[in-house]
Amino acid sequence: MLRSLVGSEMCIRDRGVGYGASYGRMREQLNFLAEELTISKFQNFVPAIQHEVRTFMKENWKEETGTINILEDMSAMIINTACQCLFGDDLRRKLNAREFSDLLAEMESALVPPAVFLPSLMKLPTPTAKKCRDARNRLQSVLGTIVEERQKEGSSDSNTSDLLNGLMNAVYRDGTPMSLHEVCGMIVAAMFAGQHTSTITTTWTLLHLMQPENAKYLKRVRDEVAEFGVQMNYDNVMNDMPFTESCSRESIRRDPPLIMLMRKVMENVKVGDIIIPKDDIIACSPLLSHHDAVSYTHLRAHETPEHLVCRLLLEKKKKKIIFIRKTILK
């Protein structure tokens, strides 16, 4: 069922990659990614992220006043940080972040709702499907050139996870190496998966904090960040900035980047008069659950982190969830 629901994203991942591959092959590809996306690797990302953010602001936000498109800027900046951290300095230098962002946006805009239930629509010669395929082919061409140059140079970046090098050297269980087409497809899949949610969360968080009524929260965030030196580390980001994290969580509550999440039920759960059996699959909608009038008093307000903590505890106590069972989706 899950594979049929995401089949509409074939134009993004392309045939033979991710959900466009057989289940066994897809699992191997995900394992290749997981081998590089570890906590020990993440701990090295903070300096690179700081450098990319500061460089982006210096190059693009030079004036004291002016007008910016914060969604477009956050998208480009996050692509820069992801490229640097995951794929190495050479791909970061050679990839045009704004072009990459625009191409991802073109592919995303082609994912029309009917295609979720009828993935074959993306194979028809429609303007929407053509737009998605053209953007995907352009990305394939750009990334293919960079990957081929890396193969010729035989270089890797020891200061990052260098996921690209890991994918280039990946070998399936049957002894077949990952092809150039598959390597590029996995790069697109990895970037699309993380860039989309990170961009939306970052944009909404900044927009809320910049509202006049939230000026005191912005001051607290800036004061909290200012407590650290010029160079932060992994522990600072993960453990020492609770207020900043709470502001981001409240932005996710109010404006969730994903409208549906597929989850496996690990044990029998009773919700009202319904018992959801173990191993069932449910589709949860944060857009609905996060705006439940019973749990949240001011649904559209960006409330204080203190209120958020209280609401989260209340929600856990009620064990309330809005969902769709797989039997309905079949």
Side-chain angles (χ1 to χ4, degrees):
M1 178 195 68
L2 180 58
R3 290 175 65 81
S4 65
L5 281 174
V6 298
S8 59
E9 296 188 21
M10 279 282 290
C11 69
I12 293 176
R13 293 176 174 86
D14 213 356
R15 189 169 302 280
V17 180
Y19 289 107
S22 65
Y23 180 76
R25 184 53 60 93
M26 179 189 72
R27 293 304 309 173
E28 288 193 68
Q29 292 172 350
L30 293 178
N31 287 337
F32 294 150
L33 290 177
E35 290 173 359
E36 293 292 337
L37 302 178
T38 63
I39 295 297
S40 60
K41 296 289 181 66
F42 290 162
Q43 291 174 341
N44 297 325
F45 290 171
V46 175
I49 292 174
Q50 278 192 283
H51 172 73
E52 288 296 338
V53 171
R54 289 166 177 164
T55 300
F56 185 90
M57 293 179 66
K58 183 178 180 180
E59 293 177 351
N60 296 275
W61 298 354
K62 303 176 182 179
E63 308 298 332
E64 290 294 327
T65 61
T67 302
I68 61 171
N69 186 319
I70 195 167
L71 178 62
E72 290 183 359
D73 280 3
M74 290 303 99
S75 179
M77 185 173 68
I78 288 172
I79 285 176
N80 283 345
T81 62
C83 285
Q84 180 65 59
C85 293
L86 299 179
F87 301 114
D89 186 62
D90 54 347
L91 191 145
R92 161 66 184 90
R93 287 185 286 102
K94 297 171 184 176
L95 190 67
N96 185 314
R98 292 195 182 275
E99 179 186 17
F100 196 103
S101 177
D102 290 342
L103 291 173
L104 285 181
E106 286 187 18
M107 291 192 294
E108 183 183 4
S109 66
L111 299 178
V112 293
V116 173
F117 301 97
L118 293 173
S120 57
L121 290 176
M122 298 307 298
K123 300 179 181 179
L124 298 177
T126 62
T128 298
K130 183 179 184 301
K131 181 180 180 181
C132 185
R133 287 193 297 269
D134 289 347
R136 178 63 178 77
N137 290 337
R138 171 60 182 159
L139 275 179
Q140 177 78 28
S141 175
V142 171
L143 293 173
T145 300
I146 296 174
V147 172
E148 287 178 332
E149 290 178 358
R150 166 76 77 90
Q151 289 174 330
K152 293 178 181 177
E153 296 171 358
S155 62
S156 63
D157 192 341
S158 59
N159 295 320
T160 65
S161 75
D162 203 5
L163 179 59
L164 175 57
N165 203 53
L167 292 175
M168 288 166 51
N169 295 324
V171 179
Y172 294 108
R173 292 194 184 99
D174 62 6
T176 304
M178 183 173 276
S179 67
L180 175 62
H181 174 81
E182 291 169 331
V183 170
C184 294
M186 292 305 292
I187 294 175
V188 173
M191 294 291 287
F192 186 85
Q195 185 267 353
H196 177 267
T197 52
S198 298
T199 295
I200 292 176
T201 299
T202 304
T203 299
W204 274 119
T205 300
L206 292 176
L207 286 174
H208 287 309
L209 287 174
M210 287 189 291
Q211 297 306 307
E213 62 270 22
N214 293 328
K216 57 182 179 180
Y217 303 145
L218 176 60
K219 182 179 184 305
R220 284 185 63 179
V221 168
R222 299 182 70 172
D223 289 344
E224 186 175 69
V225 173
E227 293 178 5
F228 306 99
V230 176
Q231 189 63 63
M232 293 183 186
N233 58 44
Y234 180 81
D235 290 334
N236 296 151
V237 174
M238 299 301 295
N239 304 319
D240 301 334
M241 296 193 291
F243 189 86
T244 302
E245 179 181 353
S246 294
C247 288
S248 295
R249 287 179 177 272
E250 172 64 349
S251 294
I252 293 174
R253 194 282 307 173
R254 185 187 181 281
D255 301 285
L258 299 175
I259 62 171
M260 185 174 69
L261 300 173
M262 307 296 292
R263 291 294 182 262
K264 180 180 179 180
V265 180
M266 304 306 294
E267 59 182 42
N268 292 345
V269 179
K270 186 176 182 180
V271 182
D273 297 328
I274 301 175
I275 295 180
I276 310 300
K278 178 183 177 181
D279 296 329
D280 208 345
I281 300 294
I282 61 174
C284 307
S285 175
L287 192 61
L288 296 178
S289 297
H290 293 183
H291 292 83
D292 175 21
V294 175
S295 299
Y296 305 116
T297 53
H298 304 292
L299 303 183
R300 297 304 295 167
H302 188 271
E303 297 190 6
T304 67
E306 288 82 358
H307 288 163
L308 174 62
V309 172
C310 293
R311 292 192 317 213
L312 289 176
L313 292 175
L314 176 65
E315 194 174 49
K316 287 182 179 179
K317 184 176 180 181
K318 291 182 177 180
K319 294 183 179 179
K320 185 169 184 178
I321 188 170
I322 299 174
F323 65 93
I324 304 174
R325 291 183 62 189
K326 70 174 183 180
T327 51
I328 299 176
L329 292 174
K330 282 184 176 179

